[in-house]
Amino acid sequence: MTATVFGLVGALLTGIGLFGLLARPEPLLRILAFNVLGGGIFLVFGAVARRGAGAGFAGDPVPQAIILTGIVVAFAATTLAVALLLRIASDDESDPS
Amino acid sequence: MSLLVDAFSLLAILAGLVFFAAGTAGLLRFPDASSRLHALTKADHLGLGLIVLGLLPRAEAVGGAPRLIAVWLLVLVSSAAAGPLLARLARRR
Amino acid sequence: MAAGATRFALLLLAWAAITGGDDMMLGAVTAAAAAWCSLLLSPPGPYRPRPTALALLALRFPWQALRAGVDVARVALDPRRAPNPGEVAWTPRLPPGPARDAFLAYASLLPGTLPAGEAADGAVIIHALTNHAAVAADMTAEEARFARAIGADA
Amino acid sequence: MMADGLIAAAILGVALATIASRGTFTAVALFIAYGLLLSFAWVRLGAIDIALTEAAIGAGLSGALLLGAASRVAGRGAAMDRRPGRAMTVAIALGCAGVTAALAAAILLLPDPAPSLAPQVAANIGATGLGNPVAAVLMSFRGLDTLLESAVLVLAVIAAWSLAPDDAWGGKPGPMQPVLADGPLALLARLLPPLGILVAVHVLWIGKDAPGGKFQAAAILAAMWMLPWMAGRVVPPPISARWLRVAVAAGPALFIAIGLAGWMTQGAFLAYPPGLALPLIMVVEIALTASIAIALALLVIGPPGRRA
């Protein structure tokens, strides 16, 4: 039951994040929307992991470990996006033409 | 005996929740940033302290109780530093 | 040296509290690293804390925290009481530095007071939620207690 | 059940508010709340390891990074795309609703009983000497993924640094920090790092048998390094410092070396010799923690910027 609830929340978050990514023009908000989207995907995957609970584990540890990896990679991507954004902003400032 | 302990836990946790609610009410109701920080720093850490107090007799493992107290102390230190920090920033605006 | 040993002992105690007394060998190595880091970031100051005064201050704190929380909760929950915020300039006796910072952080947990920055003439701005008149005297009294505990009143 | 509903509603509300918010600062604050609420969801899903990672990295480090970015782009007209028109917005909304519907259908139509690798993990975990199944998957069964992931962090550091302006290359990472001798931040920078080191080592060490491990510990260590850095109490190394570069790459390099050694002796890349699995895994864990901590801190602080 819990798995289904949060799986559906993940599906909704994916839609919300995707909409923000496509419909909001502000770059920082797009980065945030991308992370909301990522959280939704992880939650869908986490619901699948929870349904695979067994052998004394609260969830299937293989998807859980992959989600952990995914969170760190998504963070690395976010830092890179922010660095790009700040570089573009500082170039715009020093060269207004 | 265990009934007494349960009653103590329940009372302390309920009191803690009341202070959390009060802190949130203050956060929403108070007029300026510094007043809201009063609500957050004072009511919330007292609420957390009471909840920790209520959970102490129920801590299962050895080290469970000191760990709970350590959590409270860390929140105390961070809110004691964050309160003046944010108040200072809010004043500069 | 003495400061390092004290910090090492306290950190080892903290390790025992967090882990429940497991892996004390690893704890000793970690506490040594943490004590070294602590000495690096915060070299020992000129003050020698007084254990009894410090213990009294620590024992008094839960009562103060309760008063502070009840104080805020009454203003926040009672619709007839409105907060009456104001700022008071108060001049601390403790010189600028870690001791004053620590006292101001402590004061932010006491009833009714929240340090909110520095004024031009070396005073500290105290944000008070309700009772402005008593704030400066209260702060001075608390500061004296705090200074006695950390040994800064000599 | 009621807890699930409340957490779910809160997550959805905060996510919607993030996407709809007007100011970037508000959006970032809401996003931090989103990350913290997600970790509640992970606890409810029985994934404590993920909950810790989400709180430390998804909410904590990301929050610090994004708050800094929001304050630096505030009031500047950073390059912006055109706002989509009304018809286009409706089309986007319909498409996103379609994606959500498809995912929801996939969740509702999952086979019962669900496919699971948990029995295989349980059958083989003994060979690793670990008690935490997630750690066993990360370090042994899917060790290659973890190796590639740590390489991604090294690459991200290189990529971020390469965005430094030419005149700032080789300088200190991040924007200039004012030195704060006194004040609340300086107090935290004095008090917190020693305690943070204790907690991080505990989280790393306990990760072999219980939720915890290198990513959570590295996130705490990164924060403990950045705090005195932001308060001006430690001087950050310039990005041209050789020890810094070696430290970022050392963990993944050691992981590769041990993987190659497994290939030589056991016939498979990243295979551990029987009986030596646990000590080898712990050595790699510790080395990776140090490298990941430094990489995370460098990524949050960002590349060297122009000196104002």
Side-chain angles (χ1 to χ4, degrees), chain A residues 2 24 30 51-52 60 72 87, chain D residues 4 19 21 81 111 116-117:
Chain A
T2 301
R24 292 296 303 251
R30 288 193 160 171
R51 289 178 44 111
D60 186 346
V72 178
R87 177 67 202 267
Chain D
D4 288 344
I19 298 304
S21 71
D81 287 346
S116 172
L117 293 167

Side-chain angles (χ1 to χ4, degrees), chain C residues 6 12 22 29 32-33 49 68 81-82 92 100 118 124 126 143-144 152:
Chain C
T6 318
L12 194 60
D22 291 347
V29 175
R81 292 169 61 114
R100 185 198 278 191
E118 276 112 30
V124 175
I126 306 292
E143 188 190 31

